[in-house]
Amino acid sequence: MRLFSMYRWVRTRHELGCRGRGFMEAPWAGGVVLLACVAIAMLLANLPWTAPFYRHLLETDLSLLVQSPDGLIDWAFPEGMTVEKLINDGLMVVFFFTVGLEIKREIVCGHLSSVRQAILPVIAAAGGMLAPALIFMLFNHGTLAANGWGIPTATDIAFAVGILSMLGDRVPVSLKIFLTALAIADDLGAILVIAIFYGGELQLGCLAAALAILAGLCILNRLGEKRMFVYLAAAFAVWGLFYYSGIHSTLSGVAMALVIPMQPRFRREYFLHKMPWLKERLLGANPDCNGDGVVDDFPNEEHRFYLRQMKRLASGSVGMSYRLEHALTPYVTFLIMPVFALANAGVEITSAEYFNIFHLSPEIGSIGMGVFFGLLVGKPLGIFLASWIAVKARLAVLPEGGSWRMLLAVACLGGIGFTMSLFVDSLAYSDPHLVDRGKIAILMGSTAAAVAGVVLILLFAKKRAQR
């Protein structure tokens, strides 16, 4: 009976592990986790017994203070660091680093690697950023909220691609590729917007030092330096310099991604020559490697040596950029982005007035209407019109198997802002009241865009099936 119970326990544990891995590998899993974290954050920010703890935790100071008794030495690093800033200025660096690696890969050998492949998504992304910015300014030009024009310009790739994957074959594969490439180009545009318009006062000394380190890394890359610790050690210095330079520190992640080598340390010919030799030495390793007459089980010390050499050879035969992207993506999807959502999506709702996003004030403007209609109307309209103009001008072609109606439906999913929109919202305003207004509008606008996209896709797919 005990053996049977143990077998059932081991089997149940194995099945749960398989289901967990299957869930994490699903393209929609990240979106589901983010939604759960949004709901948790809203509860934490509004339940009477959790709201004070939630706000005080985010405002907890984490700076390292070095101070002498006479006050001669008074130094804090990083200056002004809190739990919330650690998440937004620290953990999000890894998110932007991964985004930078993905953009670099797509430009070098992916969907954006040729003019023909890139032209339509890039033009559509540009239209999808311009239109919502204009709609936002229609409601907020000349008001206190005007600085938030960048909030509705971004697309959340995790939610958009996740929803498309759940819709299965109702959407042509070419349009799924189009939306993925558009979201990547959109991320690049959002990074430029943050760098140019949402930085602080420039400290040229820190910026020059950071650029000098990045230039040195570029030279090392050209000279063939492929050891990871060289680049990771420099990454911490670049982050610190960006933190004090006035350019948002998360952009150090993108800058570092651009100098990470994509070429592997070992070439194909070397791998094919070396791996069989190591395998032969491994199989011929002496089982009595200690010379004491006792046969060791596999792997013994000599076996472990050759296994380490094989691991080093296999790892070095894949470019550092690919290895880092592959290693970091699960942590970004299931740790960093959920933690960001927990820290930034929690809005304390003191009255039902918060949900009145259609309120317009001559002095403040209307963040709610600017963001909501920017995401729901501006993004789809900008993507669709820019794509239509590009195709009619013969600069690009409509994705194979797609139709204008289905492209409009997919463009609606581009109105899901969330992660990048929340991030820009936190940079655009210093008034917590305005920040919270922006968050509510982002959540409502992204939800409306997602619902509109799904409904249109299902409607158009049904009509196509009836033909």
Side-chain angles (χ1 to χ4, degrees):
M1 180 64 70
R2 178 181 294 181
L3 288 175
F4 179 71
S5 299
M6 184 177 295
Y7 167 76
R8 288 188 61 184
W9 179 79
V10 172
R11 182 177 177 180
T12 301
R13 186 178 177 187
H14 173 72
E15 290 176 350
L16 289 174
C18 291
R19 291 175 183 175
R21 286 191 295 272
F23 171 77
M24 293 180 68
E25 292 171 358
W28 44 264
V32 172
V33 173
L34 279 179
L35 279 177
C37 288
V38 171
I40 293 171
M42 293 295 289
L43 288 173
L44 291 175
N46 290 281
L47 292 176
W49 56 88
T50 60
F53 175 78
Y54 174 77
R55 182 49 53 191
H56 290 163
L57 176 63
L58 292 177
E59 295 173 355
T60 300
D61 187 10
L62 293 179
S63 298
L64 176 64
L65 180 64
V66 180
Q67 191 175 49
S68 62
D70 58 2
L72 182 62
I73 299 175
D74 189 1
W75 179 73
F77 180 83
E79 187 177 340
M81 181 62 70
T82 63
V83 171
E84 187 173 12
K85 281 184 69 67
L86 177 64
I87 294 168
N88 292 346
D89 292 38
L91 287 181
M92 287 299 284
V93 173
V94 182
F95 167 77
F96 276 83
F97 178 71
T98 308
V99 169
L101 291 176
E102 185 177 12
I103 291 172
K104 183 178 179 180
R105 171 174 52 81
E106 292 295 334
I107 291 175
V108 172
C109 57
H111 298 139
L112 306 177
S113 59
S114 69
V115 175
R116 182 174 179 82
Q117 288 177 301
I119 190 67
L120 186 61
V122 169
I123 291 176
M129 296 186 73
L130 179 61
L134 291 175
I135 287 178
F136 185 93
M137 292 307 293
L138 284 177
F139 294 104
N140 296 285
H141 178 68
T143 68
L144 295 177
N147 197 44
W149 61 268
I151 297 172
T153 62
T155 295
D156 192 293
I157 189 170
F159 276 120
V161 175
I163 290 175
L164 271 187
S165 68
M166 287 191 289
L167 292 170
D169 58 1
R170 294 181 179 88
V171 181
V173 175
S174 61
L175 285 179
K176 292 181 181 180
I177 295 173
F178 166 77
L179 183 63
T180 303
L182 181 147
I184 293 169
D186 193 279
D187 281 343
L188 180 58
I191 289 167
L192 293 175
V193 167
I194 292 170
I196 298 171
F197 299 102
Y198 292 106
E201 184 179 348
L202 285 180
Q203 300 295 326
L204 295 180
C206 292
L207 182 59
L211 294 178
I213 294 174
L214 291 169
L217 292 176
C218 287
I219 294 172
L220 288 176
N221 190 350
R222 290 284 186 178
L223 293 176
E225 178 59 68
K226 300 293 192 299
R227 291 174 294 181
M228 189 177 294
F229 78 88
V230 173
Y231 294 89
L232 294 185
F236 288 99
V238 172
W239 174 82
L241 291 167
F242 266 70
Y243 185 81
Y244 286 103
S245 70
I247 297 178
H248 202 272
S249 56
T250 51
L251 299 179
S252 66
V254 180
M256 282 301 305
L258 298 179
V259 301
I260 295 293
M262 293 192 70
Q263 295 300 320
R265 186 175 184 183
F266 304 123
R267 295 186 177 275
R268 179 176 181 270
E269 294 76 11
Y270 181 80
F271 175 85
L272 294 176
H273 167 74
K274 191 72 173 180
M275 187 60 79
W277 182 84
L278 288 171
K279 181 180 178 181
E280 183 180 346
R281 298 301 296 267
L282 175 68
L283 295 175
N286 180 14
D288 181 19
C289 64
N290 296 321
D292 55 6
V294 178
V295 177
D296 293 336
D297 291 333
F298 178 86
N300 59 30
E301 186 177 346
E302 190 175 1
H303 292 143
R304 287 193 292 271
F305 171 78
Y306 288 115
L307 288 171
R308 286 194 297 269
Q309 294 299 311
M310 293 171 76
K311 179 181 179 181
R312 173 175 170 271
L313 177 63
S315 177
S317 298
V318 179
M320 189 191 306
S321 178
Y322 297 103
R323 282 185 282 138
L324 285 171
E325 184 182 351
H326 178 74
L328 292 174
T329 296
Y331 293 99
V332 170
T333 303
F334 296 105
L335 177 62
I336 292 175
M337 291 176 67
V339 169
F340 172 81
L342 285 172
N344 289 272
V347 182
E348 186 178 359
I349 308 298
T350 55
S351 70
E353 181 65 22
Y354 266 84
F355 295 102
N356 182 18
I357 61 173
F358 302 109
H359 175 72
L360 181 63
S361 165
E363 182 182 355
I364 299 177
S366 179
I367 299 173
M369 284 198 287
V371 172
F372 183 84
F373 290 114
L375 292 173
L376 179 61
V377 179
K379 288 293 284 188
L381 189 63
I383 292 170
F384 182 82
L385 288 179
S387 301
W388 185 84
I389 292 171
V391 171
K392 294 302 179 181
R394 298 185 179 180
L395 296 174
V397 294
L398 191 67
E400 184 179 355
S403 63
W404 286 114
R405 292 193 303 180
M406 190 60 78
L407 188 142
L408 176 61
V410 169
C412 288
L413 299 182
I416 305 174
F418 199 71
T419 305
M420 206 66 94
S421 294
L422 286 173
F423 189 75
V424 175
D425 179 59
S426 67
L427 300 177
Y429 304 119
S430 56
D431 185 348
H433 179 74
L434 296 181
V435 173
D436 287 348
R437 293 275 182 181
K439 289 178 181 179
I440 292 293
I442 291 166
L443 296 177
M444 295 179 70
S446 296
T447 302
V451 171
V454 170
V455 170
L456 288 178
I457 287 172
L458 293 176
L459 178 63
F460 295 152
K462 183 179 180 180
K463 288 184 176 181
R464 185 177 62 180
Q466 291 174 347
R467 290 178 180 176

